[in-house]
Amino acid sequence: MPKKAPRRTAERILEVTLALFNRFGAPNVSTTLIAAELGISPGNLYYHYPAKDELLGALFDRYTQHMHELLDAGAEVRDVEDAWFFLHSLFERIWEYRFLYRDLNDLLSNHRRLEQQVQQVLQAKTRAVRDMLASLSASGALQIDPRTAEPTATSMVVVLSWWLSYEYARAPRDALEPAAAQAALLRGAHHVLMLLAPYLVLAQREHLLALVAAYAREAPVTQTT
C-alpha cells in the first residue's frame, strides 16, 4: 500500500498553531513553543512565517474563508430544522477557531489589521441572519414585522459571536475544553434560535421545542451557574 504524502510544513505549522492558540490563548503562545511542538527549528518556522502576526493573519484568513462558505447558506433556510442545522454549523466553525472569540479584545487592541476584518465578518454574519429571517418569512415559517427583523438579527449575531465568552465566564476551567464542546454548541444554538420563538408560526415553534427536548437528552441546554 503506497504511503501517504507528508503534509506540507506550512500547513502543519498552521494546524499546530491553531491547536495551541485554542488551548492556551494566542497571547500565551510563543513561536518558540510552536516550533518545539512541531519538532522543527525556529529557523524553519520563520522561513514559512517570519512573525507571529503572520501566523495569526493566516489563521484568520482561513477562518473567514470557512465562515463565508457557511454564511452563504443563510438564504436557503426554509424552516426551523434548517435554521437549527445552519446555526449549529456556525457554532462548530466558531468552536474550531475559538481562540479568536476568547481573545478577541486583546487581538483587536494589538493587531490593527484585524479590526477591519473582524468588522467585515460581523457584517457578513448579520447579512446571513437577515437573509435567514427573510427566507423563513417567505416560506411561511416566520411572521415578523420588518421593523423588528433588524434588531432581532443583530441580537442573534451578538449571542452567536459572544456565546463562548459567556460559557468561559461561567466555567473558566472547563468551558473551552474539547469534552465540553458539544454541550456548549447545543446551548448556544438553542439560545440563538429561541430569539426566533415569538415570531415562529405555531407548528414551527412546537417543532423547535421538540428539537430542543431531543437534543437536551444529549446535552443540557439550559444549564447555568
Side-chain angles (χ1 to χ4, degrees):
M1 183 175 180
K3 292 183 179 180
K4 293 183 179 179
R7 289 174 297 170
R8 294 176 55 194
T9 301
E11 180 68 18
R12 288 181 55 237
I13 290 171
L14 285 183
E15 290 179 3
V16 169
T17 300
L18 177 60
L20 290 173
F21 281 3
N22 282 339
R23 183 178 180 187
F24 299 113
N28 303 316
V29 175
S30 66
T31 53
T32 302
L33 175 59
I34 295 168
E37 187 74 12
L38 283 157
I40 63 176
S41 68
N44 196 358
L45 176 64
Y46 298 151
Y47 172 79
H48 294 282
Y49 298 99
K52 185 177 172 181
D53 278 359
E54 295 198 22
L55 282 165
L56 180 61
L59 285 174
F60 196 88
D61 288 344
R62 178 191 281 188
Y63 157 77
T64 55
Q65 178 185 347
H66 291 169
M67 184 62 75
H68 282 298
E69 289 170 357
L70 287 175
L71 292 175
D72 289 341
E76 300 173 7
V77 173
R78 297 288 183 267
D79 55 30
V80 161
E81 196 148 346
D82 287 348
W84 180 278
F85 180 77
F86 174 62
L87 289 169
H88 200 279
S89 296
L90 290 177
F91 269 110
E92 287 178 338
R93 187 65 69 209
I94 288 170
W95 178 265
E96 185 179 352
Y97 293 89
R98 56 195 174 276
F99 81 92
L100 290 170
Y101 292 84
R102 181 179 63 185
D103 304 324
L104 185 58
N105 289 349
D106 180 86
L107 293 173
L108 288 177
S109 64
N110 291 289
H111 304 275
R112 297 295 299 273
R113 176 193 169 193
L114 293 185
E115 288 184 21
Q116 185 176 6
Q117 292 176 300
V118 167
Q119 291 171 13
Q120 290 171 348
V121 172
L122 286 173
Q123 291 166 3
K125 285 180 184 176
T126 303
R127 282 194 301 271
V129 174
R130 195 186 300 126
D131 289 344
M132 181 182 72
L133 296 181
S135 183
L136 286 168
S137 296
S139 69
L142 191 74
Q143 295 177 342
I144 188 169
D145 188 312
R147 295 170 295 181
T148 307
E150 186 65 26
T152 299
T154 299
S155 297
M156 293 178 75
V157 170
V158 169
V159 177
L160 177 69
S161 300
W162 277 272
W163 182 259
L164 288 185
S165 294
Y166 168 74
E167 291 279 348
Y168 183 71
R170 57 181 288 280
R173 295 179 183 273
D174 305 312
L176 299 186
E177 294 299 319
Q182 187 65 9
L185 299 179
L186 288 172
R187 282 193 294 270
H190 164 242
H191 283 281
V192 175
L193 271 172
M194 288 306 291
L195 293 171
L196 291 181
Y199 311 109
L200 291 170
V201 299
L202 180 59
Q204 288 291 297
R205 186 161 60 249
E206 290 179 345
H207 187 47
L208 169 60
L209 295 176
L211 282 173
V212 169
Y215 279 93
R217 288 192 285 271
E218 299 180 28
V221 294
T222 55
Q223 181 180 346
T224 57
T225 53

